[in-house]
Amino acid sequence: MHRALPWLAKALFAAPLLWLAACAGPGTGTAQHYRCEHGIEFSVRFVDDSAILSGTRANEVLFRDAGGQGPQQAVYSNPAMRAEFGLGASGREALLRYPPLPLTARCVRE
C-alpha cells in the first residue's frame, strides 16, 4: 500500500493542473503576434471579454462586441478601432478597422 501513495499523490496533484490547462485553451492570456498590411504589427492577449493589443500604431484595449460568423470568429472594438479575429479558412487571419480613419488592414497570425 505504501508504494501506491507516491503515485496517488502525483495523480492528485497533476489532475487540477491538467484541467486548468484544458480550460485555458489556446491563446487565452498568452500573446499572439500578427503582421498586417500597411506595415502594422501587433500582439494580442485575450483576457475575459477583452483583447489587449500592443503594436506599432498604439496600445488598445478592445471589448467583446457583437459580430462574427461561427464560434471561431470574435469581434472586439472601442471608439478608435475594431478587430475581427478567427477569419480565413485556417482561422489565423484578422481584420483591423480604424473608424476615425479610412483604414482597414488585413492581418495574419504568425
Side-chain angles (χ1 to χ4, degrees):
M1 181 154 183
H2 294 299
R3 292 180 185 172
L5 286 179
W7 176 84
L8 181 60
K10 288 179 185 177
L12 290 174
F13 179 75
L17 296 177
L18 293 173
W19 180 79
L20 286 173
C23 289
T28 305
T30 59
Q32 299 176 3
H33 189 77
Y34 284 81
R35 290 191 188 271
C36 311
E37 299 172 317
H38 313 294
I40 298 171
E41 291 185 37
F42 69 94
S43 294
V44 61
R45 286 186 319 117
F46 299 100
V47 180
D48 296 327
D49 283 335
S50 63
I52 303 165
L53 279 71
S54 303
T56 54
R57 293 190 59 91
N59 296 326
E60 296 282 345
V61 176
L62 309 175
F63 299 98
R64 187 73 187 248
D65 201 348
Q69 298 175 0
Q72 77 175 14
Q73 293 182 6
V75 178
Y76 297 84
S77 67
N78 69 14
M81 77 182 311
R82 178 179 169 98
E84 301 173 32
F85 295 97
L87 304 177
S90 66
R92 294 180 53 235
E93 297 176 24
L95 187 64
L96 297 181
R97 298 178 193 273
Y98 296 88
L101 307 171
L103 178 62
T104 299
R106 293 178 295 172
C107 309
V108 176
R109 184 176 70 228
E110 295 183 329

